[in-house]
Amino acid sequence: MSIFFTLTLLLFLYINIYRKTVKGSHRMMEFRSTLSVLIASLVLVYCFAEERQIYLVLMEESSNEDHLLQNTLKSYTKLQSFKHIMNGFAVHTTPSEAAKLRQANGVKLVERDRGVRKMTTYTPKFLGVPSKSRVCSKKTKTSPDGEGIVVGFVDSGIDPTHPSFGFDDGYEDLRLFCEKGRFFPLSSCNGKIVGARFFSAGARAVAKLNSSVDFLSPFDAEGHGSHVASIAAGNGGVPVYVNGFFYGFASGMAPRARIAVYKAVYPTMSTLTDVVSAIDQAVIDGVDILALSVGPNEPPEEGLTFLSIYDIAILSATRAGILVVQAVGNNGPAPATVVSYSPWAVGVAASGTDRVYPASLLLGNGQKVGGVGLSGPTFFLHKLVLAKDAMKQNGTIPSEECQYPEAFDPNLVQNSIVLCSFSQGFLNGTSSLTAIIHTATTLRFIGFALIANPNYGDFIAEPIPFRLPGILIPNASDSQAILKYYEANTCKDANGMVSEFKGKAAIGEGRVASFGSQAPTVSRFSSRGPDYMNMNRTVADVLKPDILAPGHQIWAAWSPLSVTEPLLKGYQFALMSGTSMAAPHIVGIAALIKQKNPSWTPSMIASAMSTTATKYDMNGDLIQAEGFDIHRLYPSTPFDLGAGLVKPTNALDPGLVFPAEYEDYINFLCSLPGDPAVIKNTTGGQCNASEPQPHPADLNLPSVTISSLVGHQVLHRRVKNVGTKVETYVWSVIPPNGTTININPPWFTIAPGGLQNLEIQIKVTQKMNHFTFGEIVFTGSLNHIGRIPLSVLAVSVS
């Protein structure tokens, strides 16, 4: 419609222009007459010609499609007949003709084909990564893409045959090292994968490894390591197919970065010994960035969290100039559950995006119930059977959760949509979707629906690819509506046995993404702050998480062996959730920053991402967080999302950064309670006993966290101008409730490469029983804007 009116407007404008140049002439009269006829024709064509579309039609079993079309429609093109699992067809015709089909005898359902939108991994677009950095065909000089940056991944290995890790002729060959082994010949290190090692001494010492899955090579038998690596540094433009369906194109954040693999996680056993050995080797190898989507899931039993072997290994990597990025853990939404503790590493929380995969179950009465499931539709209505009503007579094996094919009367469930119940077995971990798929395939279900059991309440469902039509319906009230319809359409005899199944249902398309939901939101599973110093959860003066990145429903590479996820066996891609998926987003963005600014230290890169992050969602509202109540959101705090959602484009040019060096981290450790000798023994650093120790919150971080503020505290920060021009900055403050804050100097002018010391005076005006939050914002004369979050527990005014 807009094209038509635009064309018409242009034509009339051209008439007026032409009239002014040849006013009164015979040529003008002829021209206007011709154009008037043309425009009138356009109006007639537009008003009376309908646009043809594709419709899917479901017919009664006895109906003949050709006879139906010939006797109902005047203008159509039959595209496809469906004869195996349904009686129907696809037809290309006009809306008015389709309306005739809906009224025709023998037609059960007519549905417009909504089309399929080509999708990508999507998070590069969602985060605003410059588009040229998402393409990995030839090197470009205009946008950073990670070229030349080596990222180390300590994880479950990598599948070198995956297209996300293929070598491109445009790469400079930077192969460094390669250990061969099962499924991993030396040729696996191909220029994209520049190094690969595996570490298994710890695992072999404490467990008997299974040679069929615990491969002593860098090969990834699970999928997790491949997934993480491809999010950060996978090639661009890799097509994503699962079960024959095209989901779009996958791309890493830094598609031309190189990958160094350090396998330290095995299906049977994983030890901290192997992980720390891998970190140690990565430091020797000189990677630029280290990705840790694995790590301990609890604090050390004794001593400070910051002084565990694991965290000291990370400190050593930081000292060597390697930025270390950690997943904060999947223990949310409870407070103080982060497992990334130390200020010298970047701890990443997880969020969703605005992309969802809606699915639906259509009941025979026309009611549509929403759910999730990455599967194709049944297209047509089929017999609906409740699993417990299809149990073999006199059978003893339970059937309601659809776990055992032998529990069913095959004649009752074949060619039916079966309702399985999310009951006790799923709660205690003895039941699985894998078993449902096996049952459904064995007994030839048309499809299945796993519905919430009202006696157990709602459950959390994630979209999972199914090889046959399937849907998860996690809402108990929706389940009750389904069961009400089912019972009203099911006949039972005096013994309570079903004599006739009259209910019908159809499973809708679940693989087409929808956009526009509130985003981002902090994911429920993402571990929360505050950070803590020991097993007793003594709160630390360090902000964790540091930053937020997408980690919910992320498409990325997968290992077809998938030995720990049977549902994903055979797939090259998987849609996964976890802070393991969030961390590599930050890794890849850090690679872009490192490429553009090769001299920047780890703390400078971390600061650039932190100060430019946003606490607002796509609608301009404060980012919300999921909690224990699965139907509600609540306003997020820095303990949910750190500084906020990463903004890659802004992080490439932050204006100011907060640099911190190894000595600063040692001073931080010395400021904590404990024996200075322990610090010396673990780090080699020396505490200066002759001088008063600084407050722990004096560490030069792009955040301020005070776990116990009594009266007032003066803190110090130091900023560096990483811009190319002289710039003047002014500070503004939103103080946490119960405090006042002054900053000196209130404004300053700083040259490129210059340093400026700042003094932050925080005073308690009212005792608070909980942390309160605020922020400091710096605004530059050249439009650089940054923020540092404030988290303060005001204990007393004096």
Side-chain angles (χ1 to χ4, degrees):
M1 182 174 180
S2 59
I3 296 175
F4 168 77
F5 280 109
T6 300
L7 178 60
T8 304
L9 179 60
L10 289 173
L11 289 171
F12 274 109
L13 288 173
Y14 191 74
I15 290 175
N16 292 328
I17 295 171
Y18 196 90
R19 183 180 59 189
K20 291 180 180 179
T21 58
V22 294
K23 186 175 182 180
S25 69
H26 180 68
R27 290 171 58 202
M28 177 62 194
M29 296 298 294
E30 290 180 346
F31 185 73
R32 291 182 63 185
S33 177
T34 301
L35 284 177
S36 297
V37 172
L38 174 61
I39 293 168
S41 299
L42 285 170
V43 172
L44 288 172
V45 169
Y46 180 80
C47 292
F48 295 99
E50 286 185 289
E51 182 180 358
R52 289 160 66 103
Q53 300 181 60
I54 299 174
Y55 294 87
L56 303 174
V57 183
L58 168 65
M59 302 182 300
E60 301 285 354
E61 295 300 324
S62 59
S63 299
N64 180 281
E65 62 191 48
D66 292 326
H67 182 267
L68 172 69
L69 287 168
Q70 292 169 7
N71 289 287
T72 307
L73 305 185
K74 295 180 179 178
S75 175
Y76 67 90
T77 302
K78 187 176 76 172
L79 303 178
Q80 181 69 51
S81 296
F82 307 111
K83 294 297 184 184
H84 299 290
I85 61 172
M86 55 189 173
N87 185 32
F89 57 90
V91 62
H92 191 217
T93 189
T94 64
S96 59
E97 293 282 80
K100 297 178 184 177
L101 276 177
R102 290 188 174 93
Q103 304 300 320
N105 292 330
V107 172
K108 299 170 67 176
L109 179 67
V110 177
E111 181 176 308
R112 181 177 64 85
D113 188 326
R114 296 169 293 156
V116 176
R117 179 178 178 180
K118 292 183 179 180
M119 308 302 303
T120 68
T121 303
Y122 184 61
T123 44
K125 181 179 178 182
F126 177 76
L127 292 173
V129 174
S131 59
K132 289 184 179 179
S133 71
R134 301 199 300 267
V135 180
C136 189
S137 55
K138 295 296 180 182
K139 181 179 178 180
T140 64
K141 296 182 179 180
T142 56
S143 295
D145 52 16
E147 175 67 43
I149 302 301
V150 178
V151 181
F153 296 91
V154 179
D155 216 292
S156 63
I158 198 167
D159 178 0
T161 66
H162 198 284
S164 290
F165 312 122
F167 180 72
D168 186 290
D169 291 338
Y171 282 119
E172 177 186 356
D173 196 337
L174 298 176
R175 275 176 279 193
L176 302 176
F177 50 84
C178 195
E179 295 180 358
K180 66 179 181 178
R182 192 173 179 187
F183 298 123
F184 208 93
L186 289 177
S187 59
S188 299
C189 295
N190 56 8
K192 174 66 174 181
I193 301 173
V194 297
R197 304 183 189 273
F198 65 96
F199 304 84
S200 61
R204 287 185 288 115
V206 297
K208 181 177 176 58
L209 299 187
N210 183 344
S211 61
S212 65
V213 296
D214 298 309
F215 305 137
L216 297 183
S217 81
F219 185 82
D220 180 16
E222 298 182 77
H224 188 275
S226 300
H227 203 274
V228 168
S230 67
I231 292 171
N235 289 330
V238 179
V240 177
Y241 283 95
V242 175
N243 290 330
F245 187 82
F246 176 57
Y247 285 91
F249 296 96
S251 174
M253 295 290 109
R256 294 192 67 86
R258 313 307 165 85
I259 294 170
V261 179
Y262 300 88
K263 180 177 176 179
V265 176
Y266 296 84
T268 298
M269 174 58 63
S270 302
T271 69
L272 194 56
T273 295
D274 294 333
V275 171
V276 172
S277 298
I279 296 172
D280 184 58
Q281 186 62 54
V283 174
I284 296 172
D285 294 335
V287 301
D288 296 300
I289 301 166
L290 192 59
L292 295 176
S293 283
V294 298
N297 201 40
E298 58 185 14
E301 294 180 356
E302 297 180 359
L304 297 176
T305 53
F306 312 120
L307 291 175
S308 70
I309 296 296
Y310 183 63
D311 283 78
I312 293 304
I314 295 171
L315 178 60
S316 298
T318 304
R319 187 181 189 182
I322 300 170
L323 176 68
V324 180
V325 180
Q326 292 180 285
V328 298
N330 299 330
N331 301 315
T337 51
V338 293
V339 292
S340 171
Y341 313 113
S342 297
W344 44 82
V346 179
V348 187
S351 77
T353 69
D354 66 333
R355 180 187 65 190
V356 295
Y357 287 95
S360 63
L361 181 72
L362 178 66
L363 302 177
N365 61 2
Q367 184 178 1
K368 184 179 288 188
V369 179
V372 295
L374 297 177
S375 78
T378 60
F379 288 109
F380 307 124
L381 295 169
H382 295 273
K383 182 176 69 174
L384 186 64
V385 176
L386 185 65
K388 70 176 184 179
D389 287 341
M391 186 175 176
K392 285 181 178 177
Q393 285 193 16
N394 303 318
T396 59
I397 302 174
S399 63
E400 68 170 346
E401 293 184 332
C402 302
Q403 298 296 293
Y404 309 103
E406 59 271 25
F408 290 91
D409 180 342
N411 295 322
L412 295 181
V413 295
Q414 184 176 335
N415 296 323
S416 302
I417 293 177
V418 179
L419 298 175
C420 311
S421 176
F422 188 96
S423 300
Q424 185 62 41
F426 286 96
L427 294 176
N428 62 29
T430 59
S431 297
S432 70
L433 278 168
T434 302
I436 293 180
I437 298 294
H438 173 68
T439 300
T441 304
T442 301
L443 300 179
R444 293 189 289 176
F445 295 2
I446 285 293
F448 72 90
L450 178 60
I451 65 174
N453 185 327
N455 294 326
Y456 293 97
D458 300 344
F459 66 92
I460 297 173
E462 296 288 339
I464 299 171
F466 300 129
R467 289 182 169 87
L468 77 165
I471 185 172
L472 311 180
I473 298 175
N475 191 295
S477 62
D478 288 337
S479 296
Q480 288 175 323
I482 296 170
L483 294 173
K484 181 179 179 180
Y485 165 78
Y486 172 82
E487 294 295 341
N489 290 275
T490 302
C491 301
K492 295 184 178 181
D493 59 24
N495 297 319
M497 303 296 293
V498 176
S499 58
E500 184 177 7
F501 295 96
K502 298 170 64 177
K504 303 286 184 179
I507 296 174
E509 174 65 70
R511 300 167 297 184
V512 178
S514 177
F515 296 84
S517 61
Q518 184 177 6
T521 56
V522 181
S523 299
R524 179 174 294 102
F525 58 77
S526 186
S527 290
R528 307 303 210 262
D531 193 10
Y532 49 95
M533 292 190 289
N534 51 39
M535 178 67 81
N536 296 326
R537 299 299 201 272
T538 303
V539 178
D541 296 289
V542 174
L543 178 62
K544 291 291 175 179
D546 292 280
I547 201 162
L548 182 71
H552 186 223
Q553 298 182 14
I554 306 299
W555 280 113
W558 196 251
S559 171
L561 292 184
S562 191
V563 297
T564 55
E565 294 286 350
L567 269 178
L568 303 178
K569 189 176 182 63
Y571 296 152
Q572 278 199 308
F573 292 91
L575 188 72
M576 303 297 290
S577 297
T579 54
S580 285
M581 285 69 247
H585 283 90
I586 296 299
V587 169
I589 294 165
L592 303 181
I593 298 172
K594 182 71 173 179
Q595 180 193 2
K596 183 181 178 183
N597 306 282
S599 65
W600 283 17
T601 65
S603 64
M604 293 168 70
I605 296 172
S607 172
M609 291 187 285
S610 178
T611 59
T612 57
T614 180
K615 64 178 184 179
Y616 298 104
D617 65 17
M618 296 175 64
N619 300 321
D621 300 320
L622 185 71
I623 291 174
Q624 300 287 293
E626 296 175 341
F628 288 105
D629 186 339
I630 65 176
H631 300 296
R632 293 180 58 190
L633 299 173
Y634 65 89
S636 62
T637 75
F639 292 162
D640 301 311
L641 49 60
L645 181 72
V646 65
K647 304 293 288 184
T649 301
N650 294 346
L652 291 169
D653 182 24
L656 298 177
V657 295
F658 292 74
E661 307 301 331
Y662 178 74
E663 292 74 17
D664 296 312
Y665 299 129
I666 295 300
N667 290 335
F668 163 77
L669 291 173
C670 292
S671 72
L672 301 174
D675 186 356
V678 176
I679 297 172
K680 183 177 181 180
N681 293 337
T682 54
T683 69
Q686 185 77 41
C687 297
N688 191 341
S690 63
E691 294 183 4
Q693 297 303 322
H695 191 281
D698 254 337
L699 180 60
N700 201 46
L701 297 174
S703 61
V704 171
T705 303
I706 303 179
S707 60
S708 180
L709 179 58
V710 177
H712 73 280
Q713 183 67 49
V714 177
L715 301 177
H716 303 87
R717 289 294 184 270
R718 182 176 68 258
V719 294
K720 180 176 183 178
N721 182 4
V722 292
T724 59
K725 297 179 181 180
V726 175
E727 191 163 4
T728 298
Y729 285 89
V730 62
W731 300 92
S732 59
V733 179
I734 301 175
N737 290 340
T739 70
T740 60
I741 295 180
N742 291 309
I743 302 177
N744 290 310
W747 64 272
F748 59 89
T749 299
I750 186 169
L755 295 170
Q756 175 68 50
N757 293 320
L758 304 169
E759 185 179 271
I760 304 173
Q761 301 172 356
I762 307 177
K763 182 178 180 180
V764 177
T765 60
Q766 180 183 350
K767 176 184 176 181
M768 306 298 292
N769 295 321
H770 53 81
F771 272 93
T772 57
F773 306 96
E775 64 183 12
I776 297 173
V777 179
F778 60 84
T779 305
S781 56
L782 299 179
N783 298 321
H784 289 110
I785 300 175
R787 8 178 326 271
I788 62 173
L790 307 173
S791 309
V792 178
L793 179 57
V795 174
S796 68
V797 296
S798 61

